Amino acid sequence: LAGMVIIDDGNDAQRGLPTGVRDIPLVLADKRVSNGALVYQPSVMDMMTGWMGNVLTVNGMAGPVTANVDAAVIRLRLLNASNSRILNPALSGGRVFWLIATDGGLLAAPVPVTSVLLAPGERIEVLLDLRNEAGQRVRLTSANFAAMGNSMMGSAPPHGSAFDVIDFVVANTAAVNPGAIPATFSPIARFDPAATTVTRVFELTEMNGMMAGQHRINGVLYNPARVDFLVGRGNQERWQFINRGMEPHPMHVHGTQFQVLSRDGSEGRRLATDFGWKDTVLVRPFESVEIALRFVVAANYVLHCHNLEHEDDGMMLNFNVV
């Protein structure tokens, strides 16, 4: 089960962002349906790759669903609530839309995109410009992409498969105050890499063979009674996730938001979603991702893969902020 908590500072109208019926939350999750019933019976292979469904649901309804919208700029808040399936939101015809926010808030400015990889646990917000689409039907899909990891999913479509998500039926008449795509938002204060006090490396591995406990961080399985490392409150740290295996891992850090510094050692390899505040970052097979972060509340937290079968299989660590 998953839902949204929407955090709003009350200033979206001043920013020129859609509100009310033009602000649409969409919880996306694939489910496996057999003979009209939801099924969850993961095999050893499912535990290795993550549980994949054969139906993509939209706010709990089997997609594609239909929504009537104004001929205006509309805002979509997208959450990938799937167990393990990475989605790739896109519009029919390959048309452009605008990425405006990631897990932790708005970007510095809207970014034009034609698709956005969205891993389990990640959230994005996008703007669709439907001002010139009166009377048309515009479909949001999860577009196909090059498969990551093992594609042997049994009765479920393999990773990277396309799904239809939602059809927007645009009103026949022009909208009152149709809005526009804002030029900028507030700048994001970037972490200074030179201010790093500690660098930590987390190696993500998969054991060979069909057994429980395949997925590990730094060679160990999760133990709820063990504290794996300590973090000094207020210190800026650099964490590097190195994926040594053939499965993608959306890595999720509790207790803070972070910034992505590089992929495979290069700032230029970062994805569009890497330029905002994040708490979940996709680490693809044989890829390394560096992040910068700081914790302001002393407490006990966890770090884990947001592929639910991977974290259940042991890909999680405890850490204390002291």
Side-chain angles (χ1 to χ4, degrees), residues 7-320:
I7 300 174
D8 188 336
D9 65 1
N11 296 321
D12 282 349
Q14 298 174 27
R15 297 185 179 102
L17 289 171
T19 58
V21 297
R22 296 177 185 171
D23 181 359
I24 304 172
L26 299 176
V27 179
L28 310 179
D30 68 328
K31 303 293 183 183
R32 200 173 299 184
V33 178
S34 178
N35 297 321
L38 290 172
V39 177
Y40 185 72
Q41 296 174 337
S43 65
V44 174
M45 180 61 75
D46 290 321
M47 293 302 295
M48 177 185 293
T49 60
W51 180 259
M52 299 278 181
N54 55 10
V55 173
L56 186 67
T57 62
V58 183
N59 293 348
M61 297 178 289
V65 300
T66 300
N68 296 315
V69 295
D70 295 335
V73 175
I74 66 171
R75 178 186 194 173
L76 306 181
R77 303 177 188 254
L78 303 177
L79 159 66
N80 185 353
S82 302
N83 282 35
S84 63
R85 186 181 293 279
I86 298 165
L87 301 174
N88 190 28
L91 290 179
S92 54
R95 68 185 71 193
V96 170
F97 56 103
W98 283 264
L99 177 69
I100 63 167
T102 53
D103 304 333
L106 293 168
L107 300 175
V111 177
V113 294
T114 55
S115 65
V116 183
L117 286 177
L118 189 65
E122 282 190 301
R123 292 88 71 202
I124 56 171
E125 297 180 22
V126 301
L127 297 180
L128 311 187
D129 188 353
L130 304 179
R131 290 175 292 181
N132 297 319
E133 304 292 338
Q136 300 301 308
R137 196 177 187 99
V138 177
R139 173 166 285 187
L140 179 71
T141 70
S142 178
N144 64 344
F145 60 91
M148 301 177 191
N150 196 314
S151 62
M152 296 174 60
M153 299 301 166
S155 61
H159 224 161
S161 297
F163 287 87
D164 293 330
V165 179
I166 185 170
D167 284 344
F168 294 108
V169 179
V170 185
N172 288 315
T173 56
V176 177
N177 299 322
I181 305 298
T184 61
F185 303 117
S186 298
I188 294 176
R190 309 304 301 185
F191 282 117
D192 177 8
T196 297
T197 59
V198 175
T199 297
R200 303 181 193 273
V201 176
F202 301 96
E203 293 195 346
L204 314 175
T205 57
E206 301 143 20
M207 303 294 290
N208 293 325
M210 304 298 239
M211 68 190 88
Q214 299 175 78
H215 300 93
R216 305 180 180 215
I217 303 177
N218 290 342
V220 300
L221 296 172
Y222 180 64
N223 181 343
R226 184 187 65 226
V227 175
D228 294 289
F229 59 97
L230 302 178
V231 176
R233 180 174 62 86
N235 294 341
Q236 180 179 308
E237 298 200 357
R238 180 193 296 252
W239 291 8
Q240 183 181 25
F241 300 111
I242 303 175
N243 191 344
R244 302 290 190 193
M246 297 181 64
E247 299 296 330
H249 299 297
M251 299 307 296
H252 177 51
V253 181
H254 286 214
T256 193
Q257 296 282 326
F258 56 74
Q259 295 175 4
V260 178
L261 301 177
S262 67
R263 288 182 179 269
D264 290 334
S266 170
E267 293 182 359
R269 292 181 180 272
R270 287 177 293 179
L271 306 177
T273 50
D274 290 340
F275 291 90
W277 287 106
K278 301 284 293 169
D279 56 47
T280 305
V281 65
L282 176 61
V283 188
R284 294 168 293 192
F286 305 110
E287 183 178 47
S288 67
V289 175
E290 282 192 314
I291 66 172
L293 70 176
R294 179 187 294 115
F295 295 86
V296 297
V297 177
N300 304 330
Y301 299 110
V302 292
L303 155 70
H304 64 89
C305 178
H306 221 299
N307 179 314
L308 300 191
E309 284 69 45
H310 289 180
E311 69 167 345
D312 282 356
D313 197 42
M315 190 169 263
M316 180 157 58
L317 297 177
N318 287 314
F319 64 96
N320 291 355

